[in-house]
Amino acid sequence: MTLSLVRLSVSRIKTLPIPALFFLILFSLSAPASAVSLDPYPVYDSFHDESSISFFREERPNYFWVNTGVPDAFFNQPHQISAPSLQGNNVVYAVNGMEYGVRLSHWITDQWRVTGTVPFEANALVDASGNTQTVDHFGDMEIGSTFLVAGERQKGNFIGVDGWYRFATGTNPFAQAYPLLSSGKGASSEALGVVSGQRLWNLFSFYEGFHYETTQPIQISSSNTSTLGAGTFQWPDNVDVMGRIEMDVLQKAQRQVTLFYQYSGRLSGLMTLNGQPISYGQSYVFQQQSSGLVPVAVGTTNQLFWSTVGAVVKIDKEFSAEVDVSQFPVYFIQQVQNQPNSGLLFSLSLIFRPF
């Protein structure tokens, strides 16, 4: 959709009201650029709705790309407006984008759900020569499913198994003149994990998720436009974690207002070319050189954590609106790596329940 040690309490399912937790799995029909995405999809996902159709929109400014975890070479071509300071928090590129999409969710039984997401990306950057480059395209198709092994979603207390498979239907970054704008990873990927939920005092809901994702290797030929060169490229394996707390603040007839806070994280392993680790684009240190202190990209693993606050307004039984704002990076304990840019990310979803 969608980690500096966030606690994922995989809930203990006892006979008491272990409130509901849920998770998202995505059965997408054309997904966004996983290569440059933080979490799977920018949508609010609820286990309470038997069926829903969500239309979402998310703005992606410069700092979104700076923190995405793509190779450092992907940033060689975009126009860089400012360099990292000694505080390491102001590297800015002339790059931005927008993601739109439609998400379908349906519970086939009380324990089994499938979802589908059809996103579309419109990305743009200004190159070093001052020319604007754009990519408007669908992304990687994804199919997924969630199965509850204990508890009931209607009562808000459950534990489930969740997973997805993404097809390489988006653009291949290694065949693009500007790989940072790609709408896909160029390879299929799969993930498997656990989700859970709890309900407390009929007022608070808690949700947790833990997933492990891996991507198939990519063969890059000399005919590709990628600046990495020819060989076998491997995206890193990721561990994605999420914890969310919701509070119902207003309930009147069919109208309801729910506020939520979510803390998400991603731990990424080695990203390699021909078996040799390559550095992430957003990890810097400052080294003393003849010209003074110079930022140098380092780090062959990556950790990124971010916070999201939002509200869901249910107008009636058929329609809801969700708005959220994410701040990243956010580290509650200790910032493991230097993320050279930060900011706010805005998302909006309109949710319809036709059945």
Side-chain angles (χ1 to χ4, degrees):
M1 81 244 204
T2 357
L3 334 167
S4 166
L5 282 175
V6 63
R7 298 185 185 183
L8 296 178
S9 58
V10 173
S11 55
R12 307 186 289 267
I13 294 282
K14 300 181 181 178
T15 53
L16 39 137
I18 320 176
L21 151 96
F22 93 94
F23 168 99
L24 2 146
I25 313 189
L26 317 163
F27 161 97
S28 355
L29 287 178
S30 221
S34 301
V36 290
S37 291
L38 290 175
D39 48 356
Y41 300 103
V43 292
Y44 174 86
D45 208 355
S46 174
F47 274 83
H48 300 297
D49 299 330
E50 182 177 356
S51 298
S52 65
I53 303 174
S54 302
F55 300 88
F56 61 87
R57 173 184 183 274
E58 181 175 71
E59 301 178 22
R60 294 177 169 179
N62 159 82
Y63 41 78
F64 174 86
W65 274 271
V66 172
N67 291 281
T68 49
V70 296
D72 180 61
F74 279 20
F75 291 91
N76 290 340
Q77 295 164 309
H79 176 55
Q80 186 170 350
I81 300 173
S82 67
S85 68
L86 292 179
Q87 289 73 39
N89 59 0
N90 71 340
V91 56
V92 178
Y93 293 87
V95 55
N96 59 76
M98 194 77 67
E99 181 181 9
Y100 308 90
V102 179
R103 176 181 173 84
L104 310 176
S105 174
H106 178 65
W107 286 89
I108 298 178
T109 69
D110 288 340
Q111 283 75 40
W112 180 31
R113 182 181 71 160
V114 295
T115 60
T117 308
V118 183
F120 185 86
E121 290 196 10
N123 302 325
L125 63 78
V126 178
D127 62 26
S129 301
N131 301 314
T132 300
Q133 309 293 333
T134 62
V135 169
D136 302 324
H137 204 276
F138 289 103
D140 295 335
M141 183 176 69
E142 176 185 295
I143 56 174
S145 184
T146 305
F147 185 80
L148 303 184
V149 297
E152 301 178 37
R153 68 174 182 87
Q154 299 94 330
K155 296 182 179 180
N157 311 313
F158 60 86
I159 288 181
V161 177
D162 184 69
W164 65 78
Y165 182 87
R166 292 178 185 164
F167 301 90
T169 53
T171 59
N172 184 345
F174 304 102
Q176 305 293 313
Y178 296 88
L180 189 62
L181 298 182
S182 175
S183 67
K185 281 187 173 180
S188 61
S189 61
E190 53 276 332
L192 185 65
V194 178
V195 294
S196 67
Q198 308 88 36
R199 182 76 175 170
L200 182 63
W201 302 325
N202 202 32
L203 177 64
F204 296 96
S205 295
F206 302 89
Y207 300 93
E208 301 87 33
F210 179 94
H211 291 79
Y212 184 85
E213 182 178 16
T214 185
T215 305
Q216 300 303 312
I218 308 169
Q219 296 300 321
I220 307 175
S221 68
S222 57
S223 61
N224 289 130
T225 58
S226 170
T227 56
L228 291 177
T232 301
F233 177 84
Q234 177 67 65
W235 288 104
D237 292 347
N238 294 323
V239 173
D240 299 305
V241 298
M242 176 273 290
R244 185 172 78 230
I245 179 173
E246 301 178 357
M247 181 177 66
D248 300 331
V249 296
L250 176 64
Q251 178 77 57
K252 187 175 183 180
Q254 295 181 345
R255 298 181 180 180
Q256 184 179 28
V257 177
T258 300
L259 304 180
F260 69 89
Y261 171 79
Q262 180 171 312
Y263 191 57
S264 307
R266 184 190 65 206
L267 297 171
S268 300
L270 293 177
M271 179 166 44
T272 64
L273 179 65
N274 295 325
Q276 299 300 314
I278 59 178
S279 63
Y280 287 83
Q282 76 276 33
S283 183
Y284 284 86
V285 297
F286 288 86
Q287 294 183 358
Q288 184 67 46
Q289 299 183 6
S290 58
S291 58
L293 286 175
V294 176
V296 178
V298 298
T300 54
T301 61
N302 187 55
Q303 297 185 20
L304 178 65
F305 294 82
W306 64 98
S307 290
T308 302
V309 294
V312 182
V313 181
K314 183 179 181 180
I315 307 302
D316 53 37
K317 66 178 182 179
E318 297 178 346
F319 174 71
S320 296
E322 176 267 331
V323 60
D324 66 64
V325 178
S326 297
Q327 168 71 42
F328 64 90
V330 174
Y331 295 90
F332 286 138
I333 302 176
Q334 178 181 3
Q335 182 167 338
V336 179
Q337 287 175 294
N338 190 22
Q339 307 290 347
N341 206 337
S342 63
L344 299 176
L345 198 65
F346 176 79
S347 300
L348 173 68
S349 298
L350 303 179
I351 305 167
F352 297 89
R353 292 172 290 274
F355 308 112

